[in-house]
């Protein structure tokens, strides 16, 4: 899961990620913390409280290159960018997951965070925090119910007897 995330999202050893999600949250732990530790990147722990202007200043001052968010945190980041003159030139990647993000919020994020790719990710806690990704080029067609395609080395299936049985997610090819 870690290796697949690093490769799929293009994490780099020179990245500096801001950890705004709790470590007991699978999205924060695996997708952000463990992925960056595995490649020797820098993790910056956010200061509390998480308010819009402070978040933007922290991203700028700590030279953050990427941040993983959930929709409410993405909204705080967008609001901070709207309300302050703080520029975040190093921010290149903002992922949003754990809950559906509205098309309006994603469009605002693209407008107010122009140097960053906004990427929708989705996963199942039991299987991994990111098993599907919707990239910026797919955003015009984004629907909150569409979470993108599965990772390159994963297979996602639905079924069971009579079409009832739920989803299955598994690694089906080598990394």
């Amino acid at each position: 899961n870690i290796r697949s995330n690093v490769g799929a999202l293009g994490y780099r050893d020179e990245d500096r990620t801001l950890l705004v999600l709790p470590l007991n949250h699978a999205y924060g732990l695996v997708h952000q913390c463990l992925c960056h530790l595995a490649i020797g990147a820098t993790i910056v722990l956010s200061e509390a409280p998480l308010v819009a202007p402070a978040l933007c200043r922290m991203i700028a001052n700590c030279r953050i290159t990427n941040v993983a968010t959930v929709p409410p945190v993405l909204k705080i980041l967008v609001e901070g960018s709207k309300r302050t003159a703080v520029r975040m030139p190093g921010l290149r990647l903002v992922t949003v997951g754990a809950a559906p993000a509205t098309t309006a919020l994603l469009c605002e994020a693209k407008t107010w965070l122009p140097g960053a790719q906004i990427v929708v990710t989705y996963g199942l806690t039991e299987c991994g925090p990111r098993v599907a990704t919707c990239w910026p080029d797919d955003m015009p067609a984004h629907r909150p119910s569409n979470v993108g395609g599965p990772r390159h080395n994963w297979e996602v299936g639905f079924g069971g007897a009579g079409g009832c049985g739920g989803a299955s997610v598994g690694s089906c090819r080598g990394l």
Side-chain angles (χ1 to χ4, degrees):
N1 196 320
I2 290 169
R3 287 185 292 176
S4 182
N5 278 325
V6 168
L9 292 170
Y11 288 153
R12 308 172 191 155
D13 59 356
E14 66 271 11
D15 273 334
R16 297 178 59 83
T17 189
L18 179 63
L19 188 60
V20 296
L21 302 172
L23 289 176
N24 62 349
H25 191 289
Y27 195 60
L29 178 64
V30 177
H31 174 65
Q32 198 168 17
C33 187
L34 295 179
C35 286
H36 287 86
L37 286 175
I39 61 170
T42 301
I43 298 172
V44 177
L45 301 177
S46 66
E47 301 167 358
L50 191 59
V51 293
L55 178 60
C56 291
R57 281 192 300 275
M58 191 179 311
I59 289 171
N61 294 341
C62 295
R63 302 179 328 274
I64 299 301
T65 59
N66 58 56
V67 63
T69 68
V70 294
V73 174
L74 181 59
K75 187 172 177 104
I76 291 169
L77 181 56
V78 168
E79 289 303 315
S81 187
K82 284 181 183 180
R83 294 188 332 198
T84 68
V86 174
R87 296 294 159 243
M88 299 167 277
L91 187 62
R92 67 174 184 82
L93 179 66
V94 176
T95 60
V96 59
T102 65
T103 302
L105 176 59
L106 296 172
C107 288
E108 273 193 297
K110 285 174 66 173
T111 299
W112 290 98
L113 305 169
Q117 286 189 309
I118 312 299
V119 180
V120 175
T121 64
Y122 175 77
L124 305 167
T125 299
E126 299 80 6
C127 302
R130 193 181 71 74
V131 295
T133 304
C134 186
W135 287 94
D137 292 344
D138 299 330
M139 293 295 175
H142 174 75
R143 298 178 317 278
S145 61
N146 178 3
V147 294
R151 295 189 312 207
H152 71 281
N153 62 333
W154 284 65
E155 183 175 86
V156 179
F158 298 92
C164 300
S168 66
V169 178
S171 180
C172 63
R173 295 184 281 284
L175 292 174

